[in-house]
Amino acid sequence: MDMNIQKYKAFVTTVSCGSFTKAAEILNYSQSGISRMIHDLEKEWKVILLERSKLGVRLTSSGMKLLPYAENVCKEYEKLQTEVDELQGLKSGLIRIGTFSSVATHWLPNIIREFQKDYPEIDYEMLLGDYTEIEEWILEGRVDCGFLRLPTHAELDTVFLEQDRLLVVLPEGHPLAEYRKIPVSALCEEPFMLLEKGAKAEVSEIFERSHLTPKVHFTTWDDYAIMAMVEGGLGISVLPELILKRIPYRIVARELEIPAYRNIGLAMRSRKTAQPAVQRFLEYLQYRQVENTEERKISDGDQASFI
């Protein structure tokens, strides 16, 4: 890579991360190497780009003016590199993917494994977030594509993948576990663990449609934290079926009396202008589900446990 491009990437990444240390980890440089490259830029441009302190770094007024141009240079270089990679037959490249935990755990390993059989030199950058964060990353160009709950932002191109059931999760031996299907009203009589962060997600919408309010004792976007607390008898919850595969928790899953779902899809700014590696990656989404005789799927009356 051209040395000036390396310096621009060091500058852009340091601003994005808010620290030299984190930028160094992402770019595989030493902290001093990142600091030196930015110092070189400041010397060449005869301006101070960043203010350093014990709390991290922040942009100066000059840095704020120059950052968009540096970001644009980096993006254009990535496009150039992608075109070169395509001419070389996709021998190398990088796919940046935004995702949430259940897809990262149960779909992406299968998809990437199959993709790597044909394109072994492609690298991947995976960012974990909630639906709102992933949508923003796509719009900003931070990731090339992202798995989201549909519908999403109107400007994005989307590919519908699957409808994922939402199931009630309970501790073993809980009285509600005797029911095959559980009414939403029954969930309001127990301490509730809410899977949500930022903008309202599908679990809150279940209660809103029924004009009910749960007794929320804990809110998080970490599926596994909720499962651990449910196992410990601290409350009950509603989680997507996809995350309830191959889990190390002694919990029970039951259907809702009125079925509820989330629609999962893949989104990008433009399918037509996506880099070739991403366009090819879309063809491998069909491999997200792999039959496994040792894996039990949560269904009516099944107990969710580690196998």
Side-chain angles (χ1 to χ4, degrees), residues 16-167:
S16 175
C17 296
S19 89
F20 292 112
T21 301
K22 292 179 181 177
E25 291 174 357
I26 291 174
L27 297 177
N28 293 316
Y29 279 90
S30 65
Q31 181 179 339
S32 60
I34 295 293
S35 180
R36 184 173 60 253
M37 283 191 280
I38 294 176
H39 177 73
D40 288 345
L41 277 181
E42 292 176 328
K43 188 175 180 181
E44 292 170 15
W45 294 345
K46 296 181 174 60
V47 296
I48 301 300
L49 298 171
L50 300 173
E51 293 179 349
R52 289 100 166 148
S53 72
K54 293 181 179 179
L55 299 177
V57 296
R58 65 177 183 175
L59 285 165
T60 62
S61 57
S62 296
M64 292 179 67
K65 290 181 180 179
L66 295 175
L67 178 63
Y69 297 99
E71 289 176 330
N72 189 57
V73 169
C74 291
K75 289 177 182 177
E76 291 301 318
Y77 179 83
E78 288 179 4
K79 292 178 183 178
L80 170 64
Q81 190 61 52
T82 297
E83 291 302 316
V84 172
D85 292 337
E86 175 64 10
L87 291 174
Q88 294 176 345
L90 285 173
K91 290 182 179 179
S92 63
L94 174 68
I95 300 177
R96 302 168 302 166
I97 305 168
T99 185
F100 44 93
S101 57
S102 53
V103 167
T105 303
H106 299 295
W107 283 4
L108 276 173
N110 304 328
I111 297 169
I112 292 174
R113 181 174 58 249
E114 293 301 319
F115 191 74
Q116 281 190 328
K117 290 178 182 178
D118 296 323
Y119 305 103
E121 300 304 318
I122 297 293
D123 295 324
Y124 308 87
E125 179 183 336
M126 190 186 303
L127 271 68
L128 286 171
D130 61 41
Y131 305 138
T132 302
E133 290 171 329
I134 296 167
E135 183 182 90
E136 290 174 354
W137 293 337
I138 299 169
L139 291 168
E140 295 169 358
R142 178 67 184 85
V143 297
D144 300 304
C145 58
F147 292 88
L148 288 170
R149 172 197 176 199
L150 300 180
T152 185
H153 199 284
E155 292 182 14
L156 298 178
D157 280 350
T158 60
V159 178
F160 171 76
L161 296 174
E162 245 175 71
Q163 193 174 67
D164 190 23
R165 284 194 304 175
L166 300 176
L167 300 176

Side-chain angles (χ1 to χ4, degrees), residues 193-212:
M193 308 291 163
L194 181 62
L195 180 69
E196 190 171 273
K197 180 177 127 180
K200 287 183 179 178
E202 55 270 348
V203 177
S204 287
E205 292 174 359
I206 292 172
F207 292 102
E208 288 179 358
R209 286 195 298 269
S210 301
H211 306 290
L212 296 169

Side-chain angles (χ1 to χ4, degrees), residues 175-241:
L176 289 178
E178 297 179 4
Y179 291 83
R180 181 171 175 269
K181 296 185 178 182
I182 299 175
V184 176
S185 59
L187 304 181
C188 298
E189 300 170 3
E190 305 278 343
F192 195 84
M193 308 291 163
L194 181 62
L195 180 69
E196 190 171 273
K197 180 177 127 180
K200 287 183 179 178
E202 55 270 348
V203 177
S204 287
E205 292 174 359
I206 292 172
F207 292 102
E208 288 179 358
R209 286 195 298 269
S210 301
H211 306 290
L212 296 169
T213 302
K215 300 176 182 178
V216 177
H217 282 212
F218 183 79
T219 304
T220 181
W221 190 245
D222 188 331
D223 320 77
Y224 296 99
I226 285 183
M227 285 186 271
M229 291 194 175
V230 170
E231 180 186 50
L234 299 177
I236 64 177
S237 189
V238 172
L239 293 176
E241 184 174 14

